[in-house]
Amino acid sequence: MGSIVAIGDDVWVKSPSSDWQTADPSSSDPIIAGLSTTAKDVTAMDPAETAKAITGDFTVTGTGERLGQKVYLVSGTVEQAGTPVEVVFEVTEDYVNLASTSSATVQGQSVDVALEITEWDVKQDIVAPL
């Protein structure tokens, strides 16, 4: 759907058809608005914070492997801003969320989000896009 870069309290978003821009939840572009709304609470995208926030009825629907670790596929529905969101988390035995997928319909638009940790405990150099 797009990309998000967050450094401190500064957030930039980019859809597949746009350039990087400052996050704007009221953008007329529904993809930019959706990305901006998602990025509004950056801690919600932190895998550790996400794992701590898992509440509701969830079911372990399988197992897999990610980054050489066994993960449990934990499926359920959460509510974000009044919208039901179907989610699947890939969680390690010690509750580290290494990946997730979510699907929802927002303002008539289908929104699918995938989060995948590709490296764990490796220093990253992040540069602001603007």
Side-chain angles (χ1 to χ4, degrees), residues 9-75:
D9 291 334
D10 296 321
V11 179
W12 299 270
V13 296
K14 178 186 179 317
S15 74
S17 62
S18 76
D19 292 328
W20 283 103
Q21 56 193 283
T22 302
D24 178 9
S26 60
S27 172
S28 61
D29 180 332
I31 294 175
I32 295 298
L35 288 168
S36 299
T37 300
T38 300
K40 199 173 189 181
D41 182 10
V42 175
T43 59
M45 292 183 284
D46 180 325
E49 293 299 317
T50 301
K52 287 193 309 189
I54 297 174
T55 61
D57 294 327
F58 287 84
T59 304
V60 175
T61 55
T63 60
E65 186 175 308
R66 181 157 312 267
L67 297 177
Q69 297 186 60
K70 180 180 181 179
V71 292
Y72 296 91
L73 305 178
V74 181
S75 303

Short mmCIF file of all heavy atoms in Angstrom, two decimals, residues 9-75:
data_model
loop_
_atom_site.label_atom_id
_atom_site.label_comp_id
_atom_site.label_asym_id
_atom_site.label_seq_id
_atom_site.Cartn_x
_atom_site.Cartn_y
_atom_site.Cartn_z
N ASP A 9 9.25 12.24 16.46
CA ASP A 9 7.86 12.62 16.24
C ASP A 9 7.58 13.01 14.79
O ASP A 9 6.45 13.36 14.44
CB ASP A 9 7.47 13.79 17.15
CG ASP A 9 7.42 13.38 18.61
OD1 ASP A 9 7.18 12.19 18.89
OD2 ASP A 9 7.61 14.27 19.47
N ASP A 10 8.59 12.98 13.93
CA ASP A 10 8.41 13.35 12.53
C ASP A 10 8.08 12.10 11.71
O ASP A 10 8.75 11.08 11.83
CB ASP A 10 9.68 14.00 11.97
CG ASP A 10 10.00 15.31 12.67
OD1 ASP A 10 9.05 16.06 12.97
OD2 ASP A 10 11.19 15.56 12.92
N VAL A 11 7.03 12.21 10.87
CA VAL A 11 6.57 11.06 10.08
C VAL A 11 6.35 11.49 8.64
O VAL A 11 5.77 12.54 8.36
CB VAL A 11 5.26 10.49 10.66
CG1 VAL A 11 4.78 9.30 9.83
CG2 VAL A 11 5.43 10.08 12.11
N TRP A 12 6.83 10.66 7.70
CA TRP A 12 6.64 10.88 6.27
C TRP A 12 6.00 9.63 5.68
O TRP A 12 6.23 8.51 6.14
CB TRP A 12 7.98 11.13 5.58
CG TRP A 12 8.67 12.35 6.09
CD1 TRP A 12 8.56 13.62 5.63
CD2 TRP A 12 9.61 12.40 7.17
NE1 TRP A 12 9.36 14.46 6.36
CE2 TRP A 12 10.01 13.74 7.32
CE3 TRP A 12 10.13 11.46 8.06
CZ2 TRP A 12 10.91 14.15 8.28
CZ3 TRP A 12 11.03 11.86 9.02
CH2 TRP A 12 11.42 13.21 9.12
N VAL A 13 5.19 9.82 4.65
CA VAL A 13 4.50 8.70 3.99
C VAL A 13 4.68 8.81 2.48
O VAL A 13 4.92 9.89 1.95
CB VAL A 13 3.00 8.67 4.36
CG1 VAL A 13 2.80 8.43 5.84
CG2 VAL A 13 2.30 9.95 3.95
N LYS A 14 4.52 7.65 1.83
CA LYS A 14 4.63 7.59 0.37
C LYS A 14 3.74 6.47 -0.12
O LYS A 14 3.82 5.35 0.35
CB LYS A 14 6.08 7.32 -0.03
CG LYS A 14 6.30 7.20 -1.52
CD LYS A 14 7.74 6.78 -1.80
CE LYS A 14 8.03 6.61 -3.26
NZ LYS A 14 7.03 5.92 -4.03
N SER A 15 2.87 6.78 -1.07
CA SER A 15 2.07 5.74 -1.70
C SER A 15 2.83 5.26 -2.93
O SER A 15 3.80 5.90 -3.35
CB SER A 15 0.69 6.29 -2.11
OG SER A 15 0.80 7.13 -3.24
N PRO A 16 2.41 4.15 -3.56
CA PRO A 16 3.11 3.68 -4.75
C PRO A 16 3.12 4.71 -5.90
O PRO A 16 3.99 4.67 -6.75
CB PRO A 16 2.33 2.43 -5.16
CG PRO A 16 1.68 1.97 -3.91
CD PRO A 16 1.37 3.21 -3.13
N SER A 17 2.17 5.64 -5.89
CA SER A 17 2.09 6.60 -6.99
C SER A 17 2.45 8.04 -6.59
O SER A 17 2.25 8.96 -7.36
CB SER A 17 0.68 6.60 -7.58
OG SER A 17 -0.25 7.00 -6.60
N SER A 18 3.00 8.21 -5.38
CA SER A 18 3.32 9.58 -4.95
C SER A 18 4.77 9.68 -4.50
O SER A 18 5.45 8.68 -4.32
CB SER A 18 2.40 10.01 -3.80
OG SER A 18 2.79 9.39 -2.58
N ASP A 19 5.20 10.92 -4.30
CA ASP A 19 6.51 11.18 -3.70
C ASP A 19 6.35 11.19 -2.19
O ASP A 19 5.23 11.24 -1.66
CB ASP A 19 7.04 12.54 -4.18
CG ASP A 19 7.38 12.54 -5.66
OD1 ASP A 19 7.78 11.47 -6.18
OD2 ASP A 19 7.22 13.60 -6.30
N TRP A 20 7.47 11.20 -1.48
CA TRP A 20 7.44 11.31 -0.03
C TRP A 20 6.80 12.63 0.36
O TRP A 20 7.01 13.65 -0.29
CB TRP A 20 8.86 11.25 0.55
CG TRP A 20 9.41 9.87 0.56
CD1 TRP A 20 10.33 9.35 -0.31
CD2 TRP A 20 9.08 8.82 1.48
NE1 TRP A 20 10.59 8.04 0.01
CE2 TRP A 20 9.84 7.69 1.10
CE3 TRP A 20 8.23 8.71 2.56
CZ2 TRP A 20 9.76 6.48 1.79
CZ3 TRP A 20 8.16 7.52 3.24
CH2 TRP A 20 8.92 6.41 2.85
N GLN A 21 5.99 12.60 1.43
CA GLN A 21 5.37 13.81 1.94
C GLN A 21 5.14 13.68 3.45
O GLN A 21 5.10 12.57 3.97
CB GLN A 21 4.06 14.11 1.23
CG GLN A 21 3.05 12.96 1.28
CD GLN A 21 1.92 13.18 0.31
OE1 GLN A 21 1.04 13.98 0.58
NE2 GLN A 21 1.95 12.48 -0.83
N THR A 22 5.02 14.81 4.10
CA THR A 22 4.73 14.81 5.53
C THR A 22 3.37 14.15 5.74
O THR A 22 2.43 14.38 4.97
CB THR A 22 4.71 16.25 6.06
OG1 THR A 22 5.98 16.85 5.79
CG2 THR A 22 4.45 16.28 7.55
N ALA A 23 3.25 13.31 6.78
CA ALA A 23 2.00 12.62 7.07
C ALA A 23 0.86 13.62 7.22
O ALA A 23 1.01 14.65 7.87
CB ALA A 23 2.15 11.79 8.34
N ASP A 24 -0.28 13.31 6.59
CA ASP A 24 -1.45 14.19 6.62
C ASP A 24 -2.72 13.32 6.65
O ASP A 24 -3.22 12.90 5.61
CB ASP A 24 -1.46 15.09 5.39
CG ASP A 24 -2.68 16.00 5.33
OD1 ASP A 24 -3.44 16.06 6.32
OD2 ASP A 24 -2.87 16.65 4.29
N PRO A 25 -3.26 13.05 7.87
CA PRO A 25 -4.45 12.21 7.97
C PRO A 25 -5.67 12.77 7.25
O PRO A 25 -6.61 12.04 6.96
CB PRO A 25 -4.72 12.14 9.48
CG PRO A 25 -3.43 12.50 10.12
CD PRO A 25 -2.74 13.44 9.17
N SER A 26 -5.68 14.06 6.91
CA SER A 26 -6.84 14.64 6.22
C SER A 26 -6.60 14.81 4.73
O SER A 26 -7.35 15.50 4.04
CB SER A 26 -7.21 15.98 6.86
OG SER A 26 -6.14 16.89 6.77
N SER A 27 -5.57 14.13 4.20
CA SER A 27 -5.27 14.21 2.77
C SER A 27 -6.46 13.74 1.94
O SER A 27 -7.21 12.84 2.35
CB SER A 27 -4.05 13.34 2.46
OG SER A 27 -3.85 13.26 1.05
N SER A 28 -6.64 14.34 0.76
CA SER A 28 -7.71 13.91 -0.14
C SER A 28 -7.38 12.57 -0.80
O SER A 28 -8.26 11.90 -1.32
CB SER A 28 -7.96 14.98 -1.21
OG SER A 28 -6.78 15.17 -1.98
N ASP A 29 -6.12 12.18 -0.77
CA ASP A 29 -5.70 10.87 -1.29
C ASP A 29 -5.95 9.84 -0.19
O ASP A 29 -5.33 9.89 0.87
CB ASP A 29 -4.22 10.91 -1.65
CG ASP A 29 -3.70 9.60 -2.21
OD1 ASP A 29 -4.25 8.52 -1.86
OD2 ASP A 29 -2.72 9.64 -2.97
N PRO A 30 -6.89 8.89 -0.39
CA PRO A 30 -7.24 7.95 0.67
C PRO A 30 -6.06 7.08 1.13
O PRO A 30 -6.00 6.69 2.30
CB PRO A 30 -8.36 7.09 0.07
CG PRO A 30 -8.32 7.34 -1.39
CD PRO A 30 -7.66 8.66 -1.62
N ILE A 31 -5.12 6.79 0.25
CA ILE A 31 -3.97 5.99 0.65
C ILE A 31 -3.06 6.80 1.56
O ILE A 31 -2.63 6.33 2.61
CB ILE A 31 -3.21 5.44 -0.58
CG1 ILE A 31 -4.11 4.45 -1.32
CG2 ILE A 31 -1.90 4.79 -0.16
CD1 ILE A 31 -3.54 3.93 -2.61
N ILE A 32 -2.80 8.05 1.20
CA ILE A 32 -1.97 8.93 2.04
C ILE A 32 -2.66 9.16 3.38
O ILE A 32 -2.03 9.10 4.44
CB ILE A 32 -1.68 10.27 1.33
CG1 ILE A 32 -0.82 10.05 0.09
CG2 ILE A 32 -1.02 11.27 2.28
CD1 ILE A 32 0.55 9.44 0.35
N ALA A 33 -3.96 9.39 3.37
CA ALA A 33 -4.71 9.59 4.62
C ALA A 33 -4.63 8.35 5.49
O ALA A 33 -4.42 8.44 6.71
CB ALA A 33 -6.16 9.94 4.31
N GLY A 34 -4.79 7.16 4.88
CA GLY A 34 -4.72 5.92 5.64
C GLY A 34 -3.35 5.67 6.23
O GLY A 34 -3.21 5.31 7.41
N LEU A 35 -2.31 5.86 5.43
CA LEU A 35 -0.94 5.70 5.93
C LEU A 35 -0.66 6.71 7.04
O LEU A 35 -0.05 6.37 8.06
CB LEU A 35 0.07 5.90 4.79
CG LEU A 35 0.15 4.80 3.75
CD1 LEU A 35 0.96 5.29 2.56
CD2 LEU A 35 0.76 3.55 4.33
N SER A 36 -1.11 7.94 6.85
CA SER A 36 -0.87 9.00 7.84
C SER A 36 -1.59 8.71 9.15
O SER A 36 -1.04 8.92 10.23
CB SER A 36 -1.32 10.35 7.29
OG SER A 36 -0.60 10.68 6.13
N THR A 37 -2.82 8.19 9.05
CA THR A 37 -3.57 7.85 10.25
C THR A 37 -2.88 6.71 10.99
O THR A 37 -2.74 6.74 12.21
CB THR A 37 -5.02 7.46 9.89
OG1 THR A 37 -5.62 8.59 9.24
CG2 THR A 37 -5.81 7.08 11.11
N THR A 38 -2.42 5.71 10.25
CA THR A 38 -1.71 4.59 10.84
C THR A 38 -0.43 5.07 11.51
O THR A 38 -0.09 4.64 12.61
CB THR A 38 -1.36 3.54 9.77
OG1 THR A 38 -2.57 3.06 9.20
CG2 THR A 38 -0.59 2.38 10.35
N ALA A 39 0.25 5.99 10.86
CA ALA A 39 1.54 6.47 11.37
C ALA A 39 1.39 7.44 12.54
O ALA A 39 2.36 7.72 13.23
CB ALA A 39 2.31 7.16 10.25
N LYS A 40 0.18 7.93 12.77
CA LYS A 40 -0.06 8.91 13.82
C LYS A 40 0.46 8.42 15.17
O LYS A 40 1.04 9.18 15.94
CB LYS A 40 -1.55 9.22 13.89
CG LYS A 40 -1.89 10.49 14.59
CD LYS A 40 -3.38 10.75 14.44
CE LYS A 40 -3.73 12.11 14.94
NZ LYS A 40 -5.15 12.36 14.82
N ASP A 41 0.22 7.16 15.47
CA ASP A 41 0.71 6.58 16.72
C ASP A 41 1.82 5.59 16.36
O ASP A 41 1.58 4.41 16.18
CB ASP A 41 -0.41 5.89 17.48
CG ASP A 41 0.06 5.33 18.81
OD1 ASP A 41 1.20 5.63 19.23
OD2 ASP A 41 -0.71 4.57 19.43
N VAL A 42 3.04 6.10 16.24
CA VAL A 42 4.16 5.28 15.78
C VAL A 42 4.41 4.10 16.72
O VAL A 42 4.78 3.02 16.27
CB VAL A 42 5.43 6.15 15.64
CG1 VAL A 42 6.64 5.31 15.29
CG2 VAL A 42 5.21 7.21 14.59
N THR A 43 4.16 4.27 18.01
CA THR A 43 4.41 3.15 18.94
C THR A 43 3.51 1.97 18.62
O THR A 43 3.84 0.84 18.95
CB THR A 43 4.20 3.57 20.40
OG1 THR A 43 2.87 4.05 20.58
CG2 THR A 43 5.19 4.63 20.83
N ALA A 44 2.38 2.21 17.96
CA ALA A 44 1.49 1.09 17.60
C ALA A 44 2.14 0.19 16.57
O ALA A 44 1.75 -0.96 16.42
CB ALA A 44 0.16 1.63 17.07
N MET A 45 3.15 0.69 15.83
CA MET A 45 3.83 -0.13 14.84
C MET A 45 5.05 -0.83 15.43
O MET A 45 5.65 -1.66 14.76
CB MET A 45 4.24 0.73 13.65
CG MET A 45 3.03 1.22 12.86
SD MET A 45 3.49 2.15 11.42
CE MET A 45 3.96 3.71 12.15
N ASP A 46 5.44 -0.49 16.63
CA ASP A 46 6.58 -1.13 17.29
C ASP A 46 6.18 -2.57 17.61
O ASP A 46 5.19 -2.80 18.30
CB ASP A 46 6.91 -0.37 18.56
CG ASP A 46 8.07 -0.96 19.33
OD1 ASP A 46 8.23 -2.20 19.33
OD2 ASP A 46 8.82 -0.18 19.93
N PRO A 47 6.92 -3.56 17.10
CA PRO A 47 6.53 -4.96 17.34
C PRO A 47 6.37 -5.31 18.81
O PRO A 47 5.46 -6.06 19.18
CB PRO A 47 7.67 -5.76 16.70
CG PRO A 47 8.26 -4.84 15.70
CD PRO A 47 8.10 -3.45 16.26
N ALA A 48 7.22 -4.79 19.68
CA ALA A 48 7.11 -5.10 21.11
C ALA A 48 5.83 -4.49 21.69
O ALA A 48 5.13 -5.13 22.47
CB ALA A 48 8.33 -4.58 21.86
N GLU A 49 5.51 -3.26 21.29
CA GLU A 49 4.28 -2.63 21.77
C GLU A 49 3.06 -3.35 21.22
O GLU A 49 2.07 -3.52 21.92
CB GLU A 49 4.25 -1.15 21.36
CG GLU A 49 5.30 -0.30 22.04
CD GLU A 49 5.18 -0.28 23.55
OE1 GLU A 49 4.05 -0.17 24.07
OE2 GLU A 49 6.22 -0.39 24.22
N THR A 50 3.12 -3.78 19.98
CA THR A 50 2.00 -4.52 19.39
C THR A 50 1.74 -5.81 20.14
O THR A 50 0.59 -6.13 20.47
CB THR A 50 2.28 -4.84 17.90
OG1 THR A 50 2.48 -3.61 17.20
CG2 THR A 50 1.13 -5.60 17.26
N ALA A 51 2.79 -6.54 20.45
CA ALA A 51 2.63 -7.81 21.18
C ALA A 51 2.02 -7.57 22.55
O ALA A 51 1.16 -8.34 23.00
CB ALA A 51 3.97 -8.52 21.30
N LYS A 52 2.42 -6.49 23.22
CA LYS A 52 1.86 -6.19 24.55
C LYS A 52 0.40 -5.79 24.46
O LYS A 52 -0.35 -5.97 25.41
CB LYS A 52 2.65 -5.07 25.22
CG LYS A 52 4.01 -5.50 25.70
CD LYS A 52 4.68 -4.50 26.63
CE LYS A 52 4.73 -3.10 26.13
NZ LYS A 52 5.56 -2.19 26.92
N ALA A 53 -0.01 -5.23 23.33
CA ALA A 53 -1.36 -4.70 23.18
C ALA A 53 -2.37 -5.73 22.68
O ALA A 53 -3.54 -5.41 22.53
CB ALA A 53 -1.34 -3.51 22.23
N ILE A 54 -1.96 -6.96 22.42
CA ILE A 54 -2.88 -7.97 21.91
C ILE A 54 -3.91 -8.30 22.99
O ILE A 54 -3.58 -8.82 24.05
CB ILE A 54 -2.13 -9.25 21.48
CG1 ILE A 54 -1.19 -8.95 20.33
CG2 ILE A 54 -3.13 -10.35 21.08
CD1 ILE A 54 -0.31 -10.12 19.94
N THR A 55 -5.15 -7.93 22.73
CA THR A 55 -6.25 -8.23 23.64
C THR A 55 -7.42 -8.74 22.83
O THR A 55 -7.48 -8.56 21.62
CB THR A 55 -6.70 -6.98 24.43
OG1 THR A 55 -7.15 -6.00 23.50
CG2 THR A 55 -5.58 -6.42 25.28
N GLY A 56 -8.35 -9.37 23.49
CA GLY A 56 -9.53 -9.89 22.80
C GLY A 56 -9.40 -11.38 22.60
O GLY A 56 -8.59 -12.05 23.23
N ASP A 57 -10.24 -11.91 21.74
CA ASP A 57 -10.26 -13.34 21.47
C ASP A 57 -9.35 -13.65 20.29
O ASP A 57 -9.64 -13.26 19.16
CB ASP A 57 -11.68 -13.81 21.17
CG ASP A 57 -12.58 -13.70 22.38
OD1 ASP A 57 -12.08 -13.87 23.50
OD2 ASP A 57 -13.78 -13.43 22.19
N PHE A 58 -8.25 -14.32 20.59
CA PHE A 58 -7.31 -14.72 19.56
C PHE A 58 -7.11 -16.22 19.63
O PHE A 58 -7.25 -16.83 20.68
CB PHE A 58 -5.96 -14.00 19.73
CG PHE A 58 -6.01 -12.56 19.34
CD1 PHE A 58 -6.45 -11.60 20.23
CD2 PHE A 58 -5.65 -12.17 18.07
CE1 PHE A 58 -6.52 -10.28 19.87
CE2 PHE A 58 -5.72 -10.85 17.69
CZ PHE A 58 -6.16 -9.90 18.60
N THR A 59 -6.78 -16.80 18.50
CA THR A 59 -6.60 -18.24 18.41
C THR A 59 -5.26 -18.53 17.75
O THR A 59 -4.91 -17.89 16.77
CB THR A 59 -7.72 -18.87 17.55
OG1 THR A 59 -8.98 -18.50 18.11
CG2 THR A 59 -7.60 -20.37 17.50
N VAL A 60 -4.54 -19.50 18.29
CA VAL A 60 -3.32 -19.95 17.63
C VAL A 60 -3.77 -20.84 16.49
O VAL A 60 -4.41 -21.87 16.70
CB VAL A 60 -2.39 -20.71 18.61
CG1 VAL A 60 -1.18 -21.27 17.86
CG2 VAL A 60 -1.94 -19.79 19.74
N THR A 61 -3.48 -20.41 15.26
CA THR A 61 -3.98 -21.11 14.08
C THR A 61 -2.89 -21.89 13.35
O THR A 61 -3.17 -22.49 12.32
CB THR A 61 -4.64 -20.11 13.10
OG1 THR A 61 -3.71 -19.08 12.79
CG2 THR A 61 -5.89 -19.51 13.72
N GLY A 62 -1.68 -21.89 13.89
CA GLY A 62 -0.61 -22.63 13.26
C GLY A 62 0.74 -22.19 13.79
O GLY A 62 0.83 -21.39 14.72
N THR A 63 1.78 -22.74 13.18
CA THR A 63 3.15 -22.37 13.54
C THR A 63 3.93 -22.13 12.26
O THR A 63 3.49 -22.49 11.17
CB THR A 63 3.85 -23.46 14.37
OG1 THR A 63 3.90 -24.66 13.60
CG2 THR A 63 3.14 -23.71 15.69
N GLY A 64 5.06 -21.50 12.40
CA GLY A 64 5.92 -21.25 11.27
C GLY A 64 7.31 -20.92 11.76
O GLY A 64 7.65 -21.16 12.92
N GLU A 65 8.11 -20.34 10.89
CA GLU A 65 9.46 -19.94 11.25
C GLU A 65 9.76 -18.60 10.63
O GLU A 65 9.42 -18.34 9.48
CB GLU A 65 10.48 -20.97 10.79
CG GLU A 65 11.88 -20.67 11.27
CD GLU A 65 12.88 -21.75 10.91
OE1 GLU A 65 12.62 -22.93 11.20
OE2 GLU A 65 13.90 -21.39 10.31
N ARG A 66 10.38 -17.73 11.40
CA ARG A 66 10.80 -16.42 10.92
C ARG A 66 12.11 -16.07 11.61
O ARG A 66 12.24 -16.20 12.80
CB ARG A 66 9.74 -15.36 11.21
CG ARG A 66 10.17 -14.02 10.67
CD ARG A 66 9.04 -13.06 10.40
NE ARG A 66 7.92 -13.54 9.66
CZ ARG A 66 7.76 -13.44 8.33
NH1 ARG A 66 8.72 -12.93 7.59
NH2 ARG A 66 6.66 -13.85 7.76
N LEU A 67 13.10 -15.66 10.81
CA LEU A 67 14.43 -15.31 11.32
C LEU A 67 15.03 -16.43 12.16
O LEU A 67 15.67 -16.20 13.18
CB LEU A 67 14.37 -14.01 12.13
CG LEU A 67 13.95 -12.76 11.35
CD1 LEU A 67 13.86 -11.56 12.27
CD2 LEU A 67 14.91 -12.47 10.21
N GLY A 68 14.77 -17.67 11.75
CA GLY A 68 15.33 -18.82 12.43
C GLY A 68 14.65 -19.16 13.75
O GLY A 68 15.13 -20.02 14.49
N GLN A 69 13.54 -18.51 14.04
CA GLN A 69 12.82 -18.78 15.29
C GLN A 69 11.45 -19.35 15.00
O GLN A 69 10.79 -18.95 14.03
CB GLN A 69 12.64 -17.49 16.10
CG GLN A 69 13.94 -16.86 16.55
CD GLN A 69 13.66 -15.69 17.47
OE1 GLN A 69 13.05 -15.85 18.51
NE2 GLN A 69 14.10 -14.51 17.06
N LYS A 70 11.00 -20.27 15.85
CA LYS A 70 9.65 -20.79 15.73
C LYS A 70 8.68 -19.68 16.13
O LYS A 70 8.89 -18.98 17.11
CB LYS A 70 9.45 -21.99 16.66
CG LYS A 70 8.06 -22.58 16.59
CD LYS A 70 7.91 -23.78 17.52
CE LYS A 70 6.51 -24.35 17.41
NZ LYS A 70 6.36 -25.53 18.29
N VAL A 71 7.63 -19.50 15.32
CA VAL A 71 6.60 -18.52 15.63
C VAL A 71 5.24 -19.20 15.64
O VAL A 71 5.03 -20.20 14.97
CB VAL A 71 6.58 -17.34 14.63
CG1 VAL A 71 7.83 -16.48 14.77
CG2 VAL A 71 6.41 -17.81 13.20
N TYR A 72 4.35 -18.63 16.43
CA TYR A 72 2.97 -19.07 16.48
C TYR A 72 2.13 -18.07 15.71
O TYR A 72 2.30 -16.86 15.86
CB TYR A 72 2.49 -19.15 17.94
CG TYR A 72 3.24 -20.19 18.73
CD1 TYR A 72 4.39 -19.85 19.42
CD2 TYR A 72 2.81 -21.51 18.75
CE1 TYR A 72 5.11 -20.81 20.13
CE2 TYR A 72 3.52 -22.47 19.45
CZ TYR A 72 4.66 -22.12 20.14
OH TYR A 72 5.37 -23.07 20.83
N LEU A 73 1.25 -18.56 14.85
CA LEU A 73 0.33 -17.70 14.10
C LEU A 73 -0.89 -17.46 14.98
O LEU A 73 -1.63 -18.40 15.30
CB LEU A 73 -0.07 -18.35 12.79
CG LEU A 73 1.10 -18.78 11.89
CD1 LEU A 73 0.59 -19.47 10.63
CD2 LEU A 73 1.98 -17.61 11.54
N VAL A 74 -1.06 -16.23 15.42
CA VAL A 74 -2.13 -15.86 16.34
C VAL A 74 -3.11 -14.97 15.59
O VAL A 74 -2.76 -13.87 15.15
CB VAL A 74 -1.54 -15.11 17.57
CG1 VAL A 74 -2.64 -14.74 18.55
CG2 VAL A 74 -0.47 -15.96 18.26
N SER A 75 -4.35 -15.46 15.42
CA SER A 75 -5.35 -14.77 14.59
C SER A 75 -6.50 -14.26 15.43
O SER A 75 -6.90 -14.87 16.41
CB SER A 75 -5.91 -15.74 13.55
OG SER A 75 -4.87 -16.27 12.76
#
